[in-house]
Amino acid sequence: MNLLQLSWKNLTFKPLSALLSVLLFALSIGLISLLLNLRAQADEQFDNNLAGINLVVGAKGSPLELTLNSMYHVGYATGNIKLGQVKAFFNPKHPIVADAVPLSVGDSYKGYRIVGTIPKILEWYGAEVASGGIWQHDFEVVIGEEVARVNGLALGDKFRSNHGIIDEGDENNMEHDDDFTVVGILAPSGTVMDQLVLTTNQTYWHSHEEHGNGGKEEGEGDKHDHADHEGHDHADHDHTADHAPKSILDEDSEKEITSLLVKYRNASSFQALSFPRNINENTELLAANPAYEISEVRRQFDSGQRILGILVLAITIVSALSIFIALFSSLRERRYELALMRSMGAGRGKVFGLIITEGLLVAVIGYALGIALSHGILAIIGGSVQDDFRYTISPWKFLTAEYLLFAAALLIGFVAAVIPAIQAARTDIGETLSR
Amino acid sequence: MLSATNLHYKYTNGEALSFPDLTCAVGETRLLLGKSGSGKTTMLQLLAGLRKPTQGTVTIAGQNLAELSAAALDHFRGRHVGMIFQTPHFVRALTMRENLELAQTLAGNHIDKQRINGLLEQLDLGDKAKALPGQLSVGQQQRAAIARALVNEPAVLFADEPTSALDDENTSRVVKLLQHQAEAVGAALLIVTHDNRLTGIIPQQTRL
């Protein structure tokens, strides 16, 4: 019969009171762990997806929207830009711009976005092709690891895209009648690449313009006129033969893309710092600094987190108080048995240790429950968050902070128990038992 | 064996008491008699090392209690002193068997299941080993308290008013039981009481 067993018996002797303490403690630990995890994983994904990109250039509109759409593939595009407007960015002699990647967005496949771009984007995001090759011809696609896994796509599979950005299961989706062919599958990279379908920019022009719209294509799915699709028959032509690979720079200046991702030669140079303002003031284009936009988003997050933090702190204090009160009030009922234990040879240290162990036991069980709770919630919300925000949550990843949280939990358990424990150790055998 | 010489005690409220000298040999039963309020329980606690006398010495099994540190005294008491309190107290969350095991553990002994089973059988509690203290009747609790006091085979067994709530028949039964058990473990038995029914049975008496 050691201290731990005895503490356990004492705790379970009053199961409801113990349950309340444990649940409150679990709630507090669970919320802390949940906040820490969401924060850490959001930071990690924001950082991974920055991919060294210094600037996003697109049509006039909200810079945050442009950044979110072009870099995180969330929300809608600000509009389209003509290739002619941005050709200068591809000039290898550009004094500020080191490199640029054009993006065409707007279509999707089962909720995963199709992005028209050039293979250089893989290099930027540190993504690698796991099987197959890269896309070279129009209507060839390379798909992210998650896209392949979730939809069961393999090399050589064909599928049709949805016009616009449509969630899986939407009954009213419009299909383009062109077949995409999977030519490559990416290895997981922990970036947004895992969730994209990559193809050429030109593919977008074919699937949208050939329906009689000429050069006036609107990338924004909802505005597209689908009446034109009817009666058009793609079945008798072979895309890969019709549209040989051609550099995007050789294309017609009137053709449109959605946006441009830009890397600077020297991000801290004076020219680079004033570059976005120059673009915004002197051209029809919108230039957004993604690092800045994301830090704005984070600031919003932070103020929300502060409020939650205060709430969590309050719950933690209440849970510590509940342990304290449960132990303290049990002392009153248990003073005879504590005196009895002292008379049977238990020193003051042992009685002190007994009460402390009861506090720690609540803390340890509460911690285990709380961590299980938070990771359970992560696992449950992970799926829906992923669909809505292109934000992958790994529920079974444990943070260093959670180990520290264990130490903090023990400390809270100790602090809550220390006053009752001192009180118990002071029990005067003679006085108590002669009553 | 137990001996006390020249014991004095001063309460925190300033009231001072002096106690008669007393010895109780191995296998001997002695009564400590006195009216209520005469300090019987206080003397018992001094003898058991639960209170420190302001003056005088208590020796149990050759050990002068005053020479022991607080922690060593706790340990010594667990090993060599068995106490039966006026009201039986137990650790409420533990079964009878576990309460006896706890007594062995706290005294620093190994758990001796045979000893526990034997005691419970002798005290007619064989079927109550798995019962919680709250589930026992008062008489069963008293016998269980005796079992616990004996489980470590103490040198001295103290009993505080063990018969005050019993009828004549049960009184002589309990006294016989105590004497028998004390003899079996070779303990000195000191019964603190104001119960005159016992004076007829036990000739060795000390009056306060």
Side-chain angles (χ1 to χ4, degrees):
Chain A
M1 184 66 41
N2 58 35
L3 272 190
L4 196 61
Q5 291 170 303
L6 187 55
S7 303
W8 174 252
K9 300 256 181 190
N10 279 330
L11 219 53
T12 50
F13 185 72
K14 291 259 166 159
L16 288 182
S17 150
L19 192 69
L20 180 68
S21 298
V22 166
L23 284 184
L24 269 173
F25 204 81
L27 191 64
S28 129
I29 294 288
L31 281 173
I32 294 172
S33 148
L34 192 61
L35 285 181
L36 288 174
N37 267 289
L38 287 177
R39 178 58 194 261
Q41 298 202 12
D43 280 359
E44 191 183 297
Q45 305 229 337
F46 277 141
D47 291 345
N48 286 349
N49 285 330
L50 276 178
I53 293 163
N54 300 114
L55 195 70
V56 185
V57 179
K60 288 278 187 215
S62 146
L64 179 60
E65 224 172 285
L66 177 66
T67 304
L68 290 178
N69 183 252
S70 299
M71 303 214 20
Y72 301 95
H73 300 274
V74 183
Y76 294 101
T78 46
N80 279 348
I81 52 178
K82 288 199 167 57
L83 208 47
Q85 292 176 281
V86 294
K87 271 200 173 157
F89 288 91
F90 293 99
N91 182 349
K93 290 190 178 131
H94 195 290
I96 301 164
V97 174
D99 221 340
V101 166
L103 297 180
S104 306
V105 303
D107 286 353
S108 61
Y109 171 66
K110 293 196 174 166
Y112 290 98
R113 297 192 174 198
I114 298 172
V115 178
T117 185
I118 57 176
K120 195 185 286 168
I121 196 168
L122 296 181
E123 234 172 84
W124 285 23
Y125 279 88
E128 281 171 2
V129 176
S131 59
I134 57 161
W135 65 102
Q136 291 178 319
H137 300 94
D138 298 347
F139 294 97
E140 288 181 348
V141 296
V142 167
I143 57 180
E145 180 269 338
E146 190 190 313
V147 184
R149 176 166 43 84
V150 171
N151 296 306
L153 289 173
L155 291 182
D157 284 356
K158 291 181 189 299
F159 62 86
R160 287 183 173 188
S161 66
N162 302 118
H163 186 70
I165 293 147
I166 296 158
D167 286 330
E168 211 178 332
D170 191 330
E171 296 296 328
N172 304 317
N173 54 10
M174 305 277 195
E175 278 193 358
H176 284 298
D177 38 13
D178 305 292
D179 283 326
F180 287 87
T181 308
V182 178
V183 298
I185 296 172
L186 297 178
S189 60
T191 69
V192 75
M193 290 296 127
D194 293 346
Q195 295 155 343
L196 294 181
V197 175
L198 302 168
T199 185
T200 62
N201 295 87
Q202 286 91 334
T203 302
Y204 261 87
W205 303 334
H206 299 310
S207 60
H208 292 111
E209 290 169 5
E210 283 176 6
H211 307 291
N213 280 358
K216 288 160 76 184
E217 163 59 16
E218 295 161 346
E220 191 56 62
D222 301 82
K223 291 180 242 158
H224 197 80
D225 182 6
H226 274 272
D228 293 340
H229 279 266
E230 281 160 25
H232 184 89
D233 186 13
H234 268 276
D236 59 352
H237 74 230
D238 178 3
H239 296 302
T240 48
D242 280 1
H243 313 292
K246 187 176 174 189
S247 164
I248 191 158
L249 290 178
D250 301 332
E251 298 283 357
D252 183 359
S253 295
E254 286 299 304
K255 298 276 192 187
E256 291 185 324
I257 60 171
T258 310
S259 60
L260 202 62
L261 304 178
V262 173
K263 275 188 182 180
Y264 292 153
R265 289 182 189 281
N266 177 2
S268 53
S269 73
F270 182 70
Q271 289 99 318
L273 290 177
S274 55
F275 191 50
R277 209 182 60 216
N278 283 339
I279 295 172
N280 288 331
E281 287 177 359
N282 303 323
T283 71
E284 292 297 300
L285 299 171
L286 170 70
N289 176 347
Y292 173 78
E293 297 301 330
I294 290 314
S295 75
E296 283 296 295
V297 173
R298 276 187 188 165
R299 257 223 306 272
Q300 302 291 322
F301 265 42
D302 283 351
S303 61
Q305 276 202 330
R306 254 198 300 281
I307 295 168
L308 275 177
I310 293 168
L311 190 71
V312 168
L313 187 69
I315 294 176
T316 308
I317 291 170
V318 169
S319 80
L321 262 179
S322 112
I323 297 176
F324 170 79
I325 292 169
L327 286 177
F328 206 81
S329 63
S330 85
L331 285 190
R332 184 186 288 276
E333 301 162 25
R334 287 162 61 191
R335 63 183 191 279
Y336 290 113
E337 72 175 54
L338 290 172
L340 178 85
M341 285 177 61
R342 296 267 292 109
S343 81
M344 292 194 301
R348 293 184 190 277
K350 203 155 220 171
V351 174
F352 179 85
L354 176 70
I355 304 297
I356 292 290
T357 310
E358 287 176 29
L360 293 182
L361 214 50
V362 171
V364 170
I365 298 169
Y367 174 84
L369 258 180
I371 293 293
L373 183 77
S374 97
H375 287 269
I377 290 175
L378 284 176
I380 291 166
I381 65 172
S384 62
V385 167
Q386 189 151 346
D387 291 344
D388 296 348
F389 301 108
R390 298 274 169 275
Y391 167 53
T392 312
I393 288 176
S394 341
W396 310 122
K397 203 151 95 185
F398 292 88
L399 306 170
T400 325
E402 286 178 288
Y403 298 109
L404 295 179
L405 199 56
F406 183 65
L410 290 182
L411 187 69
I412 293 171
F414 181 84
V415 168
V418 74
I419 293 174
I422 290 171
Q423 185 92 347
R426 277 194 190 149
T427 303
D428 185 290
I429 314 169
E431 292 294 333
T432 308
L433 289 176
S434 49
R435 249 173 255 159
Chain B
M1 71 155 253
L2 165 75
S3 77
T5 45
N6 192 27
L7 278 184
H8 287 78
Y9 186 75
K10 201 174 192 175
Y11 291 100
T12 38
N13 64 16
E15 191 190 342
L17 283 177
S18 62
F19 301 98
D21 291 356
L22 170 156
T23 57
C24 188
V26 170
E28 184 189 338
T29 304
R30 178 169 287 276
L31 293 184
L32 181 59
L33 296 161
K35 296 188 287 285
S36 10
S38 60
K40 294 194 301 287
T41 297
T42 302
M43 182 166 183
L44 177 74
Q45 290 175 348
L46 291 173
L47 294 174
L50 298 177
R51 287 177 197 258
K52 253 189 171 359
T54 40
Q55 206 186 318
T57 54
V58 176
T59 310
I60 290 173
Q63 173 67 53
N64 180 354
L65 298 190
E67 288 168 358
L68 295 170
S69 69
L73 180 61
D74 285 334
H75 190 240
F76 181 86
R77 193 170 48 234
R79 245 170 209 260
H80 301 289
V81 178
M83 306 246 343
I84 300 156
F85 298 102
Q86 200 167 352
T87 331
H89 297 297
F90 300 93
V91 177
R92 60 179 185 178
L94 300 183
T95 63
M96 261 10 280
R97 171 186 298 287
E98 288 166 340
N99 264 287
L100 295 188
E101 288 177 359
L102 180 67
Q104 290 183 329
T105 318
L106 289 179
N109 293 331
H110 292 292
I111 289 173
D112 182 346
K113 286 201 187 300
Q114 255 181 317
R115 169 87 182 138
I116 291 172
N117 288 337
L119 267 176
L120 288 174
E121 284 301 327
Q122 286 171 43
L123 291 164
D124 207 12
L125 291 167
D127 55 338
K128 296 290 171 192
K130 284 181 182 155
L132 290 172
Q135 296 164 335
L136 300 188
S137 71
V138 176
Q140 287 168 334
Q141 286 189 10
Q142 194 175 33
R143 295 206 298 280
I146 294 171
R148 186 184 50 209
L150 289 163
V151 76
N152 290 316
E153 308 192 349
V156 185
L157 188 59
F158 294 105
D160 191 3
E161 306 276 14
T163 57
S164 58
L166 301 178
D167 56 29
D168 292 354
E169 193 187 331
N170 277 311
T171 297
S172 66
R173 262 190 62 195
V174 164
V175 170
K176 282 210 181 85
L177 183 67
L178 282 172
Q179 285 185 302
H180 176 72
Q181 292 292 343
E183 225 166 274
V185 298
L189 172 62
L190 185 79
I191 300 175
V192 176
T193 189
H194 68 279
D195 187 345
N196 287 322
R197 291 174 294 185
L198 297 185
T199 50
I201 314 173
I202 299 157
Q204 296 82 5
Q205 299 171 0
T206 302
R207 274 184 194 275
L208 281 184

